Amino acid sequence: MSVYLETLRGRDGERAPVWFMRQAGRYLPEYRRIRERHSFWEMVRTPELAAEVTLQPVERFGVDAAILFQDIMSPLPDMGVEVEFAPGPVIARPVRDAASVAALRVPPAGEVAPFAAEAVRLASQASPVPVIGFAGAPLTLAAYLVEGGGSKDFATFRAFLRSEPLVAEALLAKLADVAVGYLASQVAAGARAVQLFDSWAGLLDRRTYARHGAPHLRRIVRAVRDLGVPVTYMAVGAGHLLEEVAGLGCDAVSVDWRTPLRAARRLLPGKALQGNLDPAALFAPREALLAEALRVLDEGRGGPHVFNLGHGLLPGTDPDAVAAVVDLVKGYARRPASAAEVGA
């Protein structure tokens, strides 16, 4: 078994596996060369292109896992939702009432963005490391559907959860159904692990998250783990939600840079932790960057740890900085943390 999968299964190994969220993306010159000839949506929907991009960081950096190149919006058109990118996602007809929710389709698993499963199959056949499938969490997808696009605070969505709680629950239940089928098709195609991205969960208070987010996440996690693959959950700015996250049933939790790994470990007993270098650190001078990465590695001791960022790689990141971090992580021999360090 790979060092990445062993860590997700709870093994506190001799080194931390390393990969990066958004590692397949526009900071890479090889990605940009493909992007010059194809639109983003065309790349996402063409399995051969998506598989090629998925494997680019594996070939360049030797990371320990390959995250599928897709967008969290990929399943929505098959639900009957018109999505455009300008450059972020724009929903032509926001979903804000019972009739709009009722009109959403829940396609059979094999009909949910089938190009994603085919990209997993192609990438898995060629990849020397596990391929990670992924899906957007129901709360985050619902935030875009209700808001009509991206937002700094998603105030319309947060108000919707309070003004139309039953309609919101119906919407979230459908999105959870689609996520289960979507992830199942990726696992059947060869994904060895999956990650749920909940980019906007951190905007909610704990009570609202417990009511509208956690129940649907538990159902998705249970369904995927029943297929025999580990699940990582990632929410941004969600340090205040970790006690709820502890009950989701996932194998690993990705922690952003705002929450120290040692603090997260106390709140997430028995979980592998993933993270949590600030993506902005990759723009710092090399000595400062490596010092920050070393600090993350030191904090990650005391339990299973997957080295990653606290969020995705930013545009303009120097690939050489990424390579330097990978080399540091692979050369870092983990030793057991002392009781004082674990409790720090």
Side-chain angles (χ1 to χ4, degrees):
M1 187 180 291
S2 76
V3 62
Y4 171 66
L5 294 176
E6 286 181 342
T7 301
L8 293 189
R9 299 293 189 189
R11 182 171 181 269
D12 192 4
E14 295 180 357
R15 78 165 179 90
V18 55
W19 68 280
F20 300 89
M21 286 179 278
R22 292 191 192 140
Q23 66 185 11
R26 53 188 167 172
Y27 74 104
L28 289 176
E30 54 266 45
Y31 172 93
R32 292 197 297 271
R33 285 193 290 270
I34 296 175
R35 185 67 175 84
E36 288 172 358
R37 305 191 304 272
H38 304 279
S39 71
F40 174 77
W41 214 213
E42 183 181 2
M43 292 169 67
V44 164
R45 290 169 172 260
T46 305
E48 293 78 10
L49 294 176
E52 180 179 351
V53 172
T54 296
L55 296 179
Q56 285 176 344
V58 177
E59 295 164 356
R60 176 183 275 260
F61 303 118
V63 289
D64 293 304
I67 182 75
L68 173 66
F69 176 72
Q70 277 296 312
D71 193 88
I72 63 170
M73 298 292 171
S74 293
L76 295 185
D78 291 312
M79 296 182 72
V81 177
E82 183 181 338
V83 182
E84 298 293 337
F85 289 89
V90 177
I91 309 299
R93 294 184 296 278
V95 177
R96 296 174 181 166
D97 55 41
S100 298
V101 173
L104 294 175
R105 294 179 61 236
V106 179
E111 297 177 15
V112 181
F115 46 84
E118 178 61 10
V120 168
R121 187 185 68 80
L122 294 173
S124 296
Q125 289 175 346
S127 179
V129 297
V131 173
I132 307 169
F134 79 87
L139 271 176
T140 288
L141 290 178
Y144 284 106
L145 285 171
V146 174
E147 201 76 25
S151 168
K152 290 183 178 179
D153 56 15
F154 285 89
T156 300
F157 173 63
R158 286 156 53 208
F160 174 77
L161 291 175
R162 293 166 170 82
S163 62
E164 298 288 351
L166 297 181
V167 178
E169 279 302 295
L171 172 59
L172 292 162
K174 281 194 170 185
L175 290 169
D177 288 341
V178 170
V180 168
Y182 183 46
L183 291 171
S185 68
Q186 293 179 47
V187 171
R192 303 282 302 282
V194 304
Q195 180 158 311
L196 282 164
F197 285 88
D198 215 350
S199 305
W200 303 112
L203 292 175
L204 303 182
D205 62 90
R206 183 174 171 179
R207 182 184 62 83
T208 304
Y209 178 83
R211 176 178 181 182
H212 292 295
H216 303 287
L217 288 165
R218 282 194 292 268
R219 180 156 66 89
I220 296 168
V221 170
R222 185 167 57 248
V224 175
R225 293 188 80 229
D226 284 348
L227 298 174
V229 298
V231 180
T232 299
Y233 175 71
M234 184 264 184
V236 182
H240 61 296
L241 303 177
L242 290 184
E243 290 184 61
E244 293 295 331
V245 171
L248 297 181
C250 53
D251 300 273
V253 176
S254 197
V255 181
D256 77 16
W257 66 94
R258 300 170 183 87
T259 302
L261 290 177
R262 288 180 187 139
R265 200 172 292 287
R266 291 195 295 271
L267 294 171
L268 299 165
K271 307 290 185 190
L273 298 185
Q274 179 175 279
N276 66 342
L277 182 70
D278 185 344
L282 288 154
F283 291 87
R286 192 60 46 84
E287 183 178 354
L289 164 62
L290 296 181
E292 277 294 292
L294 187 61
R295 180 189 59 78
V296 171
L297 287 164
D298 287 340
E299 279 205 354
R301 291 184 296 111
H305 174 223
V306 176
F307 187 95
N308 207 312
L309 304 179
H311 200 201
L313 282 164
L314 297 169
T317 299
D318 182 357
D320 288 342
V322 176
V325 172
V326 172
D327 289 343
L328 176 72
V329 176
K330 287 192 170 185
Y332 179 90
R334 302 180 82 226
R335 58 177 175 81
S338 68
E341 287 174 321
V342 172

